[in-house]
Amino acid sequence: MLKTKQTRCVTPASSGTLLTLLETLPDAIFFIDDAATTVYANASAQTITGATREDLCGKPLWRGAPHLVSTSLYQAVQKTKQTRAPIEVEYVSPVTRTWLHVQLSPAVGGLLLHVHEQREPLPRWETFVPDEHLADDVLKNLYVGVGCLTPEGILLEINEVPLADAQIRREEVIGQPFAQTPWWSFYPASQQQLRAAITRASRGETVRFETLVHPREGMDLHLEATITPHEEVDHHVEYLVYVGTDITERKRAEGATYALMDALPHRVWIARSDGSVTYHNQRLIDYLVMPLDQIQGDGWMVGVHPDDRPQVQEAWQAAIQTRGPYEVEHRLRDGISGAYRWFLARGVPQRNAQGTILHWFGTCTDIEDQKRIEEALHQSQERASALMNSNIIGINVIEGEQIVDANDTFLRMTGYTREDLRAGRINWRHMTPPEYLARTQQAHQELATQQSMTPYEKEYVCQDGSRLPVLVGGGVFQHHPLQAITFVLDNSARKELEQRKDDLINMASHELGTPLTAVKMQTQLVRKRLEKQSHHEAATALSRVEGPIKLLERLIGELLDVSRIQAGRLEYVRERVDLGSLLRDVTDTMHHFHPSHTIVVRETVQTSLIGDRDRLGQAFTNLLSNAITYSPDAETVEIDLSASEDAVTVRVRDHGLGILQEQRDKIFERFYRAPDLSQRAIPGLGMGLYIVAEIVKGHEGNITVDSEIGKGSTFTVTLPKRRDA
Ligand code: ADP
């Protein structure tokens, strides 16, 4: 250009001439030094900017001539300084709305700016014409306030919205440090935030922060501010883009949300996307009892049980990295009692439309009671499974006739496999031998009516067909009335022992019987001989042996009977028995041996029945003998005989020791003797009543006992008169 060439021709010596020349030029000329301070501005420059030379000179260009300031000009200045080559730039003045054409030429110690103005102003709506990059940067955000800053924070551009908010003109703020403009200078904290953000952004970092600004008297705005550095290819930060979004409404809504959250019975927290917790609701604060400033960030971690901290940290980090939900169970200290309770902490990220995480919303739910129940349940399950896996008791669960579950012990006992169980091949009815079916059904009946079965002995037919003696008991499940659990004890060892005992009794009674008979016969023979030879003294002495021999004979006879009963070999003759005469005979014999007691017989009727005279005699002898034996201090024993149309009743009553209630069933068992001290002195083997009961049963009758301690006992035998079989 001609004018530029002219400038170059001027020598320093003739600078006066040059200045005069510059003053006459119609275009504006600025000379700025390396710090962009205006050193010189010609007359046209003053006209264009509407400022005096004093306004312009000695101040940064950006401040003195806000009409001219634009990001394009700023970029061009920077570029010329860098490249030392002339540049031209054309843009619309944001103030006068006219096209400006600026030529920038490097000069010694600074730059020469030659500004040419085109007079036609543009329409107002094109006020903000961001360059291509700026448009990109800005469009990434939904903006309200948009501006452009130098890396040092000098405001180069600003759009209408913030200007309108502050009710100021553009030129009042352009070229000023942004932090000192009305929006930011009111609250020192916001100003501080902005300064820090500019410093970080000028190093290439995008900075986002929330703050409160004060554009004018009576107006506060919550802003979400973003400062994005615009970088050159060489990563040199050229300028900064500022976007401020008004979030006042959101904040207000948040305020209401916080108030709501504080009122919630739940424990709630909110964290920033980086994981630092910014909010705890009142309920949570009340629980932790920690000052707010301590609780924020990751201060809440102090409340977590030290043992749980690593896993909480791990879960939280993982959630932040994967951006997935956060869930962990941990103990949290109750600030009041100092005790820890279990909580379930959950957090979900809240994202914006682009998927960027804005916040994490979280809750802490008290699961202490749940944990305790779980623990108790776990323990009881453990106990139940220990019981179930017991290797002594076979356990099975039945539903109908089917065994639907069983422990290993039961399977081992019966020879079935788990596969059999799964396939439904185990059925208790099939496992029950015919002779035990009635008893088993009775047990199941009991189960249905009383929810439990009295333990009873039976046998199982095992998988291989062998028999297993067992003791079975059980009960129904409260929660599953169709199912029942049964406990099965292998009874074979006991049964075997019993068998051996029976064998021994059987053998002993036979083995003892033979020599005793020999002794008895020999004694009688010798006694008779002695009498014949008139050795009366010796004969009497020998006859004393006959009493104990009789006793022995009776004992061995009872032993034999017991073993016959066991083997089911006790047989009965069927004959007509006159009960009255039978009782008189028995009484006479008894009286002969026990003259100490008077036996009173009350016979109201003459009655007879079909039965075994000897066995019935044996039964009544036993009853009478007991009545006398167990009433050492009484004098009488009574026998009543009465009859109805179908049955005969015999009552044997004594006035002796009596029998305890709990012993009344047991006395009919084999070898049972009451353990009372008072009876220890009375000899006996506990076979008498067992045999009596068996004989009565053999006659299809029944026997009961009534007794009062210290007063006496009454045994009542009822026998049917007519028997079909
Ligand atoms: P034993 O008399 O040989 O002991 P039993 O079978 O006849 O055997 O009787 C069993 C138990 O019943 C006795 O040990 C005794 O404790 C009790 N008992 C039987 N009869 C009477 C009775 N009349 N009075 C008190 N106790 C009796």
Side-chain angles (χ1 to χ4, degrees), residues 174-194:
I174 290 296
Q176 304 258 9
F178 193 36
Q180 281 166 23
T181 56
W183 302 284
W184 300 94
S185 56
F186 191 80
Y187 293 118
S190 333
Q191 198 175 37
Q192 199 47 47
Q193 267 181 300
L194 178 67

Side-chain angles (χ1 to χ4, degrees), residues 626-627 630 654 658-659 667 672-674 679 684-690 713 715:
N626 279 349
Y630 295 103
D654 66 57
I659 304 159
I667 54 176
Y672 180 83
R673 305 206 67 221
Q679 296 188 17
L685 289 177
M687 292 185 288
L689 286 182
Y690 174 67
S713 317
F715 286 83

Side-chain angles (χ1 to χ4, degrees), residues 19 35 46 49 57 75 135 139 145 159 184 202 246 274 375 385 435 468 477 488 491 526 609 611 660:
L19 283 178
Q46 293 165 52
T49 57
C57 292
Q75 278 177 289
L139 286 175
N159 71 336
W184 300 94
S202 65
D246 181 356
D274 64 0
E375 179 62 18
S385 88
E435 67 269 33
L468 177 76
F477 287 120
V488 181
N491 213 12
V526 174
L609 50 71
L660 288 172

Side-chain angles (χ1 to χ4, degrees), residues 67-68 89-93 98-102 115-117:
H67 306 66
L68 303 182
V89 61
E90 231 177 10
Y91 59 96
V92 175
S93 159
T98 52
W99 275 101
L100 293 175
H101 178 231
V102 183
V115 185
H116 173 75
E117 190 181 23

Side-chain angles (χ1 to χ4, degrees), residues 446-458:
E446 201 182 329
L447 201 59
T449 54
Q450 294 165 27
Q451 275 75 57
S452 72
M453 56 164 90
T454 326
Y456 69 104
E457 290 185 351
K458 67 177 277 184

Side-chain angles (χ1 to χ4, degrees), residues 554-555 558 622-631 652-654 656-660 663 666-676 679 682-692 705 707 712-715:
R554 203 186 121 197
L555 278 179
E558 282 187 346
N622 279 350
L623 289 176
L624 261 181
S625 156
N626 279 349
I628 293 164
T629 318
Y630 295 103
S631 60
V652 181
R653 176 177 300 132
D654 66 57
L657 305 172
I659 304 159
L660 288 172
Q663 295 170 354
K666 291 187 182 158
I667 54 176
F668 296 103
E669 286 172 14
R670 206 157 47 127
F671 306 122
Y672 180 83
R673 305 206 67 221
D676 310 39
Q679 296 188 17
I682 301 170
L685 289 177
M687 292 185 288
L689 286 182
Y690 174 67
I691 295 169
V692 173
V705 63
S707 184
S713 317
T714 304
F715 286 83

